Every structure is written in structure tokens, then in C-alpha cells.
Amino acid sequence: MQKNKLLILLSGICASSYAQTITVRDQSSREPLENVVIQDKNNVQVKTNIKGKADVSTLLKGDSAFVYQFGYATKKVMLSKDMDITIDLSAKSVNLDEIVFSANRKEESKMDVPYQMEIIKQKDIEFTNPATSGDLLQNTGQVFLQRSQAGGGSPSMRGFEANKVLLVIDGVRMNNAIYRGGHLQDVMTIDPNMLDRTEVIFGPSSTMYGSDALGGVMNFYTKNAQFSSDDKLLVKANAMVRYASVNQEKTGHLDFNIGGKKFASLTNITFSDFGDVMSGSTKLNGYSNAWDRNYFQERVNDRDTMTVNKDNNLQKGSGYTQMDLMQRFNIKTGSHITHNLNFQYATSSYLPRYDRLNGDYAGGKFRWAENGYGPQKRLLAAYTLNFDRKTVLTDNVKVILAYQKIDQDRFTRRWQKTARISQREDVAVLSANVDANKVIKEDHELRYGLEFTNNDVKSAADSTNIVAGGKGKAQTRYPDGGSKMNTFAVYLSHAWEVNENFVVTDGIRYTNTSLTANFQDTTFFKFPFKTAKQNNQAVTGALGFTWKSDNDYKVSLLANTGFRSPNVDDMTKVFESPSGVIIVPNPDLKPEYSYNIELGISKVIQGKYKFDITGYYTSLTNVLVVRDFTFNGNDSAVYQGVKSKVQAMQNGNNAYILGINGGITLDFNEHVSFKSVLNYTYGRVTDTKIDTVIPLDHIAPLFGQTSLIYKTKNIDGEFFVRYNGKKALADYGPAFISTEDNLQYATANGMPAWFTLNIRLGFNITKSLRLNAACENLTNNRYRTFASGINAPGRNFIVSLRYKM
């Protein structure tokens, strides 16, 4: 007995004296890398676990081994009997075979996908250090961002914006029944600090995602609670503080993970305080003084007063605060079943509509004393079931049940008037998604599923006398009797790997959409109907071919369709545009469709140099546009005491968009790389009422970004130039037609071209502490992005400190 105990003791001593562990981390973020392959010369392999650790005791000692993972530079390491080392891998700019999750709602190789896609990983988010998710998208150089106020950001893709592009977070669609055709700020309710990755799909994607995916889909994946790979509790924490000079931004963030083998929890908290934005003072050629903030609104002695702004570059009334919370739980109840609970809550302070407050004058005086959004709130509660046991019908099944509640309030008060109008919109959304896939004979894979959504819209309004304090009625933005919008869809997608170089992808989707809106109080507008109803069906499809050569060519050809069903905002809203136009309900609307064909070509040379280009042509029918209308036989109506021209959303027009996207990525060596991307879009619409072809709304001018990147073990750096071409007046819609391009905010010659010079740096102070610093718009240029109602930030010094454990 004593002898056996001695042998066990000696074995333990020997095992401990020959610890053979390699830990692998990302060189920049210092995050442990999972599933990294470590291989000796006999091709024996081991992989790292969730902590980035691998036991290399089974590998050949006294010789070298290679450490590699897709997207990182391979490293060589000598194996010894007693080793416990940490290896930092440097990320490559040229990635040959990334994994994507969103193209077909499952994990697959990007090389097999015919879509143009952009992947933003957590390490990229931490290095670029965006203040908002709008900034995160803009940093790609491939998504255009319009702003009406500092607390806004409306992404545009391939000439589509707002309710014609789809936002998805953790598999749940964010687009709801009141997403409008103008400019939206809903992407700002997503905290970039809680994201694990973002995938952007360009072009129509309705086969997999349904309505609204005309220009593309932005898929946001938040960090998930992580299980421990052994009996020890996995504890991770990430804390960050950031300061930006251009708006005196102060942001604090904390997330921490506690995980066992069966249960894991992740908590995320972010708070940001954004002050008024300082615009640049260096006026580029073609820029006027029209964007100066010479005066701002103040209430003095119960009277609206135009107060002189001491610094007309300071955009008074643009500041706001934002808070984001997230809690996720991960639970294993078997070897093949996991359950996930996902709670998200975002809220803001009052968000001033800077474009209305500064740029909307009437006779030399402000038109508005107050104009803005109340606290914008987004709540998400979702449950996800993942079952990965193979059956006759499925290899994997994912079920997502979600509830969302969105509060959007608007407050307006005209100049020198005492009546403050409050319009309150509450949207409750229930949704269910079931997605499954099955591999058949290795060469064929089926992806199929269904989706159900229910939108319940409540709209209320009142008028408050800010002096006397009394309350009265006001016109609601949407039907005061409530509106409901339901969708049901089924889809089937299929991939056929003809051989190792050729993949065929196809799919089809059927969607039914029903909408009912009830008008009760017609005090302000005598609607010719009490109830408006719609029921629409849409069938969409996709067919793609992907050819991959052995010498790293990829050619993809894609033909696909998209659609968008009219929602509550399209069909029923009452809204005053800034140009003295009143938008009234029109229940006779039909879905708009897009038919797209695109060709993509990419070539990688020596695994270091990548060139890619995508060209596309999209035809649109039944395009929804705002045009002249009559209400009860009249072409004008009195709204809030002002006689306004009547317009409404209408079908009937056809349009087309064509464009090209090109990119170059060069890895000169392990430390230096170069990246550049350029986007061109052209769009026209045939207006049947005036029998002419005119520019289509939302078409961004030529834009792009060029970067020079430097990486070492402890320092990362990037110098980049961001640029936009000119938007000429001839490329705006005619002044007599209501468009979303905000011609009133352009100069006499349109929107001038602009550029900014920028630099950002990252320093690893210790293995846990990292300092990021940046200077954006080095030359302090004054500019506006196309269709924006607020100047872009001037010279901006940013510093952040991040701690990880």
C-alpha cells in the first residue's frame, strides 16, 4: 500500500516538473486565442482551449513546431521537455479563408459565399475605438453614414438607407413597423463595446432575412457568456475609460464573465456623456459660412431668445448622454443542448434635432424653439435554444424567441409659441425564428427555417402650454387607435459543392405581411377612412456561383431579389417635413422589389497581396417615394397652425442603381500593411407623374478610405485618409420634389468634396493594460457628409485606457 502511494507521489512530481504548456494570445488585444493549431514535424497536432492554452506533451521534443490560425501570421517555436511559454500572434490584413455566420444564417467559409461581405472583429473594434456603432460602420470605409444630429447616424449601403437596409442583433431583426424612409438613428442604440463581431452583407438579402434587406444587412453579434473548459471557474473582466476632446466625451465601460462548465454569465455596462460638438475651422474650397452656429435658442424671461454664440464653430445643442446594459446567461443541459438568455437595454437623454434647430430658419429667425427626440429606449429580451445533435432532418437547429420594446418620443415647439407638442410612440415586437441545416452526402447542404413577427404600435400625443401649464390634444404621428403588423415567412437555401473549386448556392423565400391601422380621433384630420388594412405576399430568391482556383482566384456571380413591405410609417403617418410640406396617410401602397445581379473578382498573390472588385446593377419596381398628393380633394392643409403642401408616400416609379466597390490589401511583412477601399454608386428614378428621369434619393457620392498600418509586439499604429467626392446639384432631386437628400443643407454648388487625415496608436503598457490614442481630422477641416444636417467633428484628440484580466 505504501509502495503504491509512493509511486503515485513520484508520478505527480514528475508530471509537474515537466509542465509542457503553450499559451497563445492576440498580439494587439492580448485576448487568448482558441483553436490555434500547434503541429510538430510528424504532423501531430494539438489545439488551444478557451483560455488559449494547449498541452504539448504529446508533441516531439527537441524540435520545432508551427503555431498557426487563419488570419494570423504563422510562428515557429522550439519544443522542450519543460516549457510554459506565451506566444503572441500578429493578425494579418490579408485573410485567405475567413469564417462568416450571417450569409446563410450558419457558420461557413467566406470563400464559398457569393456575397460581398465585410467582417469587423472584436480586436478591430478595440483598436479603432469607435464612440458609437455608427462610427464603427463608417470606419470600414464601405458604409456611408448620414447624420442629422450628434446622437444620430444613418448607415447607407449601395444607395439604400433607413428602412431599406436591415439591422440584426444576435439573430433578431431590429427593423420594426415604424422604421421610416428618411434618416434613422437606431444603430446608435447598439453599444460597440459589447460587440464580439459585426458582419455586413452588401446587396439584396431578402431570401434569408425577409423585408427591408434591399441594400444589405448589418449583423451585430454581442459577446456571449463563456464556459470554462476545466473544473476551474473562468473569470474574465474588461474595463475601459475614454476621453475625446472635440465634444468633451467621457465614456466608461465594464464587462465581466464568470463561467463554469455548465453555466456562464456575462454582464456589460457602458455610460457615455457627449458634449456639444466642435466643428472644424479650416474651410475647404467651396464651403460657405451657412453652417456657422451664429445663434442658439434660449428661454429668457419666458420668451424665446436668439443668443449670440461666442464661438460659431461650437455646435450648441448637440450634446447628449447614453447608457447601455446587457446581461447574458449560457446554460448547458446536455452534450448537444445549450440555452442562452440575452437581455439588452439602451437609453439616452433628450436628443436635440440639431439640423432643425440650426438650419431651419424662417424670415431670419429660428423656426423652432424646441425640436428633438425624448429619451430613446430599446429593450430586448431573447431566448435561444441550440441543438447540435444530428438527426434524419437536421445537423443543427437554432430557435430564437424574442421580445423588443422601443420607445421613441418627439418634442417640438415653434419659435415664440408656448405650445409644446409631445408625440409618443411605443412599439412592442414579438418574434420567433427557427433555423436548421442538414448536410446530405457531403456535397449538398440544406438550410431552412421560418420566421414570425408581430408589431404592436401605440401612438399618443398632447400639447402642453409651457407658461400656463395646461394640456390639450395634439395630432398623433401614427393612428391613435393602434396599429398591428404581422409577418410570417418560410425559406429554403441550398449549397452544392460541385467540386473543391466550384460551389452553387440557391434559395427561395415566401413572406406574408398583414397590417391594420385604426384611426379614432379625427379632430385634426378628417380622414376618409377609420381603418386601413393591407395584406401582401412576396416571393424572393437567389442563385449564386462561386469559383475558386488553386492559385487563390475567386470569382462569384450572384443574381438575387429583395423586397420591402410597406409598414405603419409608410402607410399611416402624419408628419411635417422641414420644407413646409405635410405628409398624410396613403393606405393604397404595395411592396417594392429589387432585382440584382453582381460580379465579384478577387485575387491573392503569395498570401500577402489581395485585390478585389465587385460590380452590381440593381433594378427597382414599385419604388416608394414621397410625391404630391391630395387630402379630401385639397392639395394643401393646415397643420399646427401653418398651411402646408400635401404629399404622401406613393408607388409607381421604377429606378435603377449601379455601382462598383474596389479594394486593395497588401501585407508587406509581419509589421507593415496597406489597405484601401473605394465605392462608387449611381442611381436614377423614373418619375411617372412628371414623365422624367431624376436622381434617386440616398445615393452617396464617391467615398473611400486608405490606410497604412504598422504592428509590433507592443505597438500598433495606423495612418489613414478618409475622403468623399463632390455631390453636384445636378445629382440632387429637383427642388420642387420632396426628397431625403436635404438639399437645403447643401451649398450653392452642392455638397463639396472633403478629406481628413487621421492617426491612431495602441500601446501595450503591461500584459493587462493597454493605452489607445488617436487624432482625427488632423488639419481641422470643416465639412459635412452628404445629406447631413450637422457639421462633422473638427480636430479630435482621443485617449482611452483598457484593462483586461
Side-chain angles (χ1 to χ4, degrees):
M1 188 71 173
Q2 293 295 327
K3 184 178 180 180
N4 290 338
K5 288 184 178 180
L6 181 61
L7 287 173
I8 293 172
L9 180 61
L10 288 173
S11 297
I13 293 172
C14 290
S16 63
S17 63
Y18 291 99
Q20 297 165 21
T21 303
I22 292 179
T23 303
V24 186
R25 304 181 305 182
D26 180 277
Q27 179 176 276
S28 299
S29 68
R30 300 301 177 95
E31 283 287 315
L33 296 176
E34 188 179 6
N35 293 322
V36 176
V37 175
I38 304 172
Q39 178 177 301
D40 65 17
K41 69 177 185 180
N42 289 338
N43 295 326
V44 179
Q45 296 181 351
V46 294
K47 291 184 178 181
T48 57
N49 60 21
I50 196 171
K51 297 179 181 179
K53 296 182 180 295
D55 181 357
V56 295
S57 59
T58 59
L59 303 185
L60 188 65
K61 309 303 180 294
D63 211 327
S64 61
F66 291 95
V67 182
Y68 62 90
Q69 187 179 52
F70 284 124
Y72 288 85
T74 299
K75 279 200 172 182
K76 190 176 181 180
V77 61
M78 292 300 298
L79 298 174
S80 62
K81 289 184 178 180
D82 187 7
M83 63 183 306
D84 186 4
I85 62 173
T86 297
I87 296 174
D88 293 327
L89 294 186
S90 173
K92 297 191 298 183
S93 295
V94 176
N95 293 326
L96 297 181
D97 198 7
E98 290 184 282
I99 299 299
V100 295
F101 299 89
S102 59
N104 290 291
R105 304 180 77 100
K106 68 171 293 294
E107 181 179 333
E108 59 189 323
S109 169
K110 186 181 177 184
M111 288 291 285
D112 294 337
V113 173
Y115 295 91
Q116 178 197 347
M117 296 185 67
E118 178 68 15
I119 315 301
I120 311 168
K121 300 177 182 176
Q122 182 184 341
K123 60 184 178 62
D124 303 318
I125 298 172
E126 291 183 356
F127 177 61
T128 57
N129 209 9
T132 68
S133 287
D135 296 325
L136 178 148
L137 295 168
Q138 188 179 41
N139 284 340
T140 65
Q142 299 188 66
V143 178
F144 187 85
L145 196 71
Q146 180 276 349
R147 293 184 191 271
S148 296
Q149 66 272 347
S154 188
S156 174
M157 301 162 58
R158 292 191 176 184
F160 294 94
E161 187 189 351
N163 59 17
K164 292 179 175 62
V165 294
L166 183 64
L167 302 177
V168 179
I169 187 162
D170 294 328
V172 180
R173 60 182 290 132
M174 291 179 60
N175 291 42
N176 58 58
I178 64 170
Y179 265 43
R180 57 189 179 273
H183 309 295
L184 289 172
Q185 69 274 1
D186 293 71
V187 73
M188 310 295 278
T189 66
I190 301 173
D191 175 18
N193 299 288
M194 73 181 184
L195 296 177
D196 179 63
R197 65 188 282 125
T198 299
E199 297 186 6
V200 182
I201 308 172
F202 295 89
S205 305
S206 290
T207 303
M208 300 305 296
Y209 289 96
S211 181
D212 301 1
L214 296 176
V217 182
M218 289 159 279
N219 278 278
F220 299 91
Y221 297 91
T222 63
K223 299 172 184 176
N224 202 355
Q226 296 181 336
F227 296 111
S228 176
S229 58
D230 52 36
D231 292 330
K232 294 182 180 178
L233 203 63
L234 176 65
V235 179
K236 299 174 66 176
N238 172 33
M240 183 272 293
V241 291
R242 180 177 60 234
Y243 171 81
S245 64
V246 78
N247 57 358
Q248 305 297 305
E249 177 211 348
K250 297 169 281 292
T251 292
H253 167 80
L254 173 66
D255 67 74
F256 56 91
N257 183 99
I258 302 174
K261 296 184 74 173
K262 299 287 186 180
F263 178 85
S265 167
L266 175 73
T267 303
N268 182 99
I269 305 168
T270 302
F271 180 80
S272 296
D273 183 349
F274 301 99
D276 294 333
V277 178
M278 180 72 75
S279 67
S281 59
T282 305
K283 297 179 181 178
L284 301 175
N285 184 38
Y287 279 71
S288 68
N289 296 325
W291 299 336
D292 291 347
R293 181 64 151 151
N294 294 314
Y295 300 92
F296 61 93
Q297 293 89 338
E298 272 195 320
R299 188 79 176 164
V300 180
N301 296 325
D302 282 337
R303 186 172 180 81
D304 294 327
T305 304
M306 294 181 67
T307 302
V308 175
N309 190 8
K310 295 180 180 179
D311 185 348
N312 59 17
N313 292 318
L314 182 63
Q315 299 177 102
K316 297 279 286 187
S318 57
Y320 70 102
T321 62
Q322 175 93 14
M323 183 176 69
D324 299 276
L325 306 174
M326 182 179 73
Q327 177 63 55
R328 298 196 69 170
F329 297 109
N330 231 355
I331 306 166
K332 282 184 181 179
T333 57
S335 57
H336 298 285
I337 299 177
T338 58
H339 310 264
N340 189 276
L341 296 174
N342 186 349
F343 303 97
Q344 299 174 22
Y345 178 73
T347 184
S348 70
S349 64
Y350 175 74
L351 295 170
R353 277 291 302 267
Y354 183 86
D355 57 337
R356 300 290 181 86
L357 294 172
N358 183 54
D360 207 350
Y361 294 95
K365 292 184 179 181
F366 289 120
R367 186 180 179 192
W368 299 100
E370 301 175 30
N371 198 315
Y373 302 104
Q376 179 169 287
K377 301 176 182 179
R378 179 181 69 87
L379 171 69
L380 168 68
Y383 163 76
T384 301
L385 169 69
N386 193 56
F387 178 68
D388 62 5
R389 184 177 179 178
K390 293 185 178 181
T391 67
V392 175
L393 297 177
T394 66
D395 290 340
N396 180 271
V397 179
K398 178 182 286 187
V399 179
I400 304 176
L401 306 177
Y403 169 78
Q404 298 178 80
K405 189 174 187 301
I406 300 94
D407 295 342
Q408 290 189 359
D409 301 339
R410 291 171 173 81
F411 298 94
T412 56
R413 184 172 62 83
R414 292 186 178 278
W415 187 250
Q416 300 296 7
K417 302 295 183 182
T418 59
R420 177 188 291 130
I421 307 300
S422 170
Q423 294 178 314
R424 299 177 299 281
E425 274 66 60
D426 295 334
V427 185
V429 185
L430 292 171
S431 63
N433 290 82
V434 180
D435 301 299
N437 68 282
K438 179 67 179 179
V439 175
I440 303 173
K441 295 183 179 180
E442 296 185 358
D443 298 332
H444 295 269
E445 183 175 12
L446 295 178
R447 289 78 62 111
Y448 57 96
L450 57 87
E451 179 182 72
F452 168 79
T453 67
N454 170 266
N455 285 248
D456 188 358
V457 181
K458 303 295 184 186
S459 191
D462 58 49
S463 173
T464 302
N465 188 308
I466 63 171
V467 175
K471 282 196 174 186
K473 290 183 177 181
Q475 173 64 49
T476 58
R477 183 178 175 89
Y478 302 116
D480 59 335
S483 305
K484 291 185 182 294
M485 181 175 175
N486 298 318
T487 67
F488 175 77
V490 292
Y491 75 88
L492 172 65
S493 176
H494 164 247
W496 175 25
E497 189 174 354
V498 181
N499 55 49
E500 62 180 9
N501 300 116
F502 189 56
V503 179
V504 179
T505 304
D506 52 79
I508 189 169
R509 182 187 187 101
Y510 168 80
T511 305
N512 177 273
T513 304
S514 62
L515 192 158
T516 303
N518 298 303
F519 298 84
Q520 290 183 345
D521 189 345
T522 57
T523 301
F524 299 93
F525 282 93
K526 303 296 181 183
F527 298 115
F529 43 81
K530 284 282 189 178
T531 301
K533 291 185 177 182
Q534 276 195 355
N535 193 286
N536 298 311
Q537 290 82 36
V539 177
T540 51
L543 177 63
F545 304 93
T546 304
W547 175 74
K548 307 169 292 181
S549 74
D550 294 332
N551 57 352
D552 295 327
Y553 266 111
K554 177 186 174 181
V555 179
S556 58
L557 178 65
L558 175 65
N560 55 348
T561 61
F563 80 99
R564 198 184 77 79
S565 291
N567 62 17
V568 172
D569 184 88
D570 298 312
M571 194 176 81
T572 68
K573 78 175 172 185
V574 177
F575 165 69
E576 183 183 22
S577 79
S579 53
V581 172
I582 179 71
I583 310 297
V584 299
N586 179 14
D588 300 321
L589 297 178
K590 298 177 181 179
E592 50 189 341
Y593 291 90
S594 67
Y595 304 89
N596 177 72
I597 186 167
E598 61 186 83
L599 175 67
I601 302 173
S602 68
K603 168 64 176 174
V604 177
I605 301 173
Q606 299 177 0
K608 296 181 179 180
Y609 314 114
K610 183 179 181 182
F611 305 86
D612 58 83
I613 187 168
T614 300
Y616 56 90
Y617 178 88
T618 305
S619 173
L620 298 104
T621 61
N622 281 344
V623 178
L624 289 170
V625 290
V626 175
R627 292 294 183 264
D628 290 350
F629 199 64
T630 59
F631 182 75
N632 290 333
N634 300 313
D635 61 2
S636 62
V638 176
Y639 182 71
Q640 293 187 10
V642 177
K643 188 176 182 180
S644 301
K645 185 178 182 180
V646 171
Q647 293 189 339
M649 190 71 73
Q650 301 172 58
N651 284 112
N653 297 331
N654 296 324
Y656 69 89
I657 297 174
L658 58 88
I660 192 168
N661 166 274
I664 300 174
T665 306
L666 310 174
D667 275 336
F668 296 115
N669 54 47
E670 186 179 344
H671 303 296
V672 182
S673 58
F674 172 87
K675 195 172 184 180
S676 186
V677 63
L678 190 66
N679 310 271
Y680 171 76
T681 314
Y682 180 88
R684 290 294 185 266
V685 58
T686 302
D687 194 303
T688 55
K689 288 200 171 183
I690 59 176
D691 193 26
T692 187
V693 177
I694 60 176
L696 187 64
D697 293 9
H698 304 293
I699 303 298
L702 181 77
F703 72 99
Q705 186 169 298
T706 299
S707 302
L708 184 64
I709 302 164
Y710 176 75
K711 295 179 181 180
T712 62
K713 184 175 182 180
N714 290 310
I715 300 176
D716 292 342
E718 180 183 13
F719 174 78
F720 64 100
V721 184
R722 187 172 291 156
Y723 38 87
N724 264 217
K726 178 182 178 180
K727 179 81 170 184
L729 286 179
D731 292 323
Y732 283 83
F736 61 86
I737 290 179
S738 178
T739 74
E740 300 294 347
D741 288 349
N742 291 333
L743 178 61
Q744 69 273 21
Y745 301 141
T747 70
N749 298 310
M751 190 65 77
W754 58 265
F755 72 93
T756 61
L757 306 178
N758 316 268
I759 189 169
R760 57 172 67 106
L761 298 167
F763 305 90
N764 292 323
I765 300 172
T766 69
K767 68 177 184 179
S768 302
L769 191 63
R770 181 175 175 85
L771 175 70
N772 280 81
C775 183
E776 299 176 343
N777 195 359
L778 283 159
T779 52
N780 203 28
N781 291 341
R782 171 182 287 198
Y783 69 98
R784 281 189 181 186
T785 57
F786 159 66
S788 293
I790 186 170
N791 297 344
R795 185 184 295 117
N796 188 18
F797 294 99
I798 306 168
V799 61
S800 70
L801 198 63
R802 185 181 298 275
Y803 176 80
K804 291 185 177 183
M805 62 167 284

